[in-house]
Amino acid sequence: MEQIDRYMKRYGLDEVLPSAVRPQLKLVRYATGEAICTQGAKAEQLHFLVSGKIRVAHTSAAGKRLVLSFKYPLDLIGDIEYVRRTPFLNTVEAVTPVEMIVVRFDDLARYAKDDVKWLHYLLEGITKKFEMKSQSMSFNLFYPVDVRLASYLLSMTPEETTLGSTVDELTDIADLIGTSYRHVNRTLKRFVEQGLIERDRRSIAIIDRAGLLAVAGESIYE
């Protein structure tokens, strides 16, 4: 419970969640690659991402997977499903070791359904998600691949200067920015030739952040 309390204070959740809910909270850990929730499965819990990185993906009726986003703390999984009482809309997987604070929908409904602070927090979070989704769709429609890829590389390396470059990881990037794996590969090769990045089979290293910023302009993908 001490670890939960530390995360609650770090992210301000102690000011949002009613005190009656706190005994119902659990800290759950997920290993790299482990599914946190699966598209179409019954949703019964709300997850607060407090440590690690997750991938959110959706599978179309035709079986094509679309990577919607990568998430870092603090983020909520299951908020829309809690409000609408629907199955999970997307599949969420741990990209790194992940820790989540989890609470059952039934406990939230019992102890927090009329709490103004909590409801305001929930509404603000859901509204932000739809706003970001709209911006992402517009970004993929109106900007060329080199701008989208440069923006992705910048947004995914706020502190570290490297990120993965395996086939699976490049396929994820292609799905996320709305292009093909081959197009991503060609654009990365051009970035190498321009001296913006270095790349091997396992990693991409940012060596000219200012140059990538010039390619991206003000269009930084989030």
Side-chain angles (χ1 to χ4, degrees):
M1 200 65 186
E2 290 182 5
Q3 184 65 50
I4 291 178
D5 289 340
R6 283 196 290 269
Y7 280 133
M8 293 276 287
K9 290 178 181 178
R10 180 185 301 178
Y11 296 113
L13 294 174
D14 56 335
E15 299 177 3
V16 174
L17 284 170
S19 57
V21 174
R22 295 178 195 177
Q24 316 304 322
L25 303 176
K26 295 181 180 179
L27 186 65
V28 181
R29 295 178 173 88
Y30 297 90
T32 300
E34 188 173 356
I36 296 163
C37 59
T38 303
Q39 179 179 331
K42 185 178 181 181
E44 298 180 305
Q45 299 182 124
L46 185 68
H47 301 71
F48 296 87
L49 174 63
V50 293
S51 176
K53 172 184 172 184
I54 60 175
R55 173 174 54 213
V56 182
H58 186 83
T59 303
S60 71
K64 177 175 174 56
R65 188 190 68 156
L66 175 66
V67 176
L68 301 177
S69 60
F70 294 92
K71 299 288 187 179
Y72 299 86
L74 176 71
D75 203 82
L76 270 65
I77 300 298
D79 45 359
I80 297 172
E81 291 85 350
Y82 168 67
V83 172
R84 299 186 61 204
R85 288 297 194 273
T86 58
F88 282 114
L89 299 173
N90 304 306
T91 294
V92 180
E93 298 173 328
V95 177
T96 66
V98 162
E99 289 184 315
M100 289 192 158
I101 294 176
V102 176
V103 60
R104 289 177 53 82
F105 287 173
D106 289 347
D107 291 327
L108 278 175
R110 183 178 298 114
Y111 298 114
K113 67 176 181 178
D114 296 320
D115 187 90
V116 175
K117 280 188 177 180
W118 164 245
L119 293 176
H120 178 77
Y121 178 82
L122 195 62
L123 177 61
E124 186 176 348
I126 292 174
T127 302
K128 185 177 179 180
K129 279 188 176 181
F130 281 111
E131 180 182 356
M132 290 179 66
K133 182 178 181 181
S134 176
Q135 290 174 348
S136 176
M137 291 176 66
S138 297
F139 185 55
N140 284 353
L141 283 172
F142 296 125
Y143 289 90
V145 170
D146 59 341
V147 173
R148 279 142 52 192
L149 183 56
S151 299
Y152 172 87
L153 295 175
L154 290 167
S155 66
M156 294 298 287
T157 55
E159 297 177 356
E160 300 292 332
T161 59
T162 61
L163 67 163
S165 182
T166 66
V167 172
D168 286 345
E169 286 166 324
L170 293 189
T171 300
D172 279 348
I173 295 173
D175 287 346
L176 181 64
I177 68 174
T179 189
S180 67
Y181 168 86
R182 289 182 178 179
H183 205 155
V184 167
N185 215 21
R186 287 197 300 269
T187 307
L188 286 174
K189 287 180 180 178
R190 190 160 65 250
F191 286 174
V192 170
E193 292 167 358
Q194 294 169 348
L196 302 176
I197 65 171
E198 290 180 347
R199 176 191 172 199
D200 57 32
R201 291 184 178 182
R202 300 200 63 82
S203 66
I204 298 169
I206 311 300
I207 59 173
D208 185 358
R209 195 170 187 85
L212 279 177
L213 279 167
V215 175
E218 297 180 356
S219 308
I220 303 301
Y221 179 83
E222 294 293 342

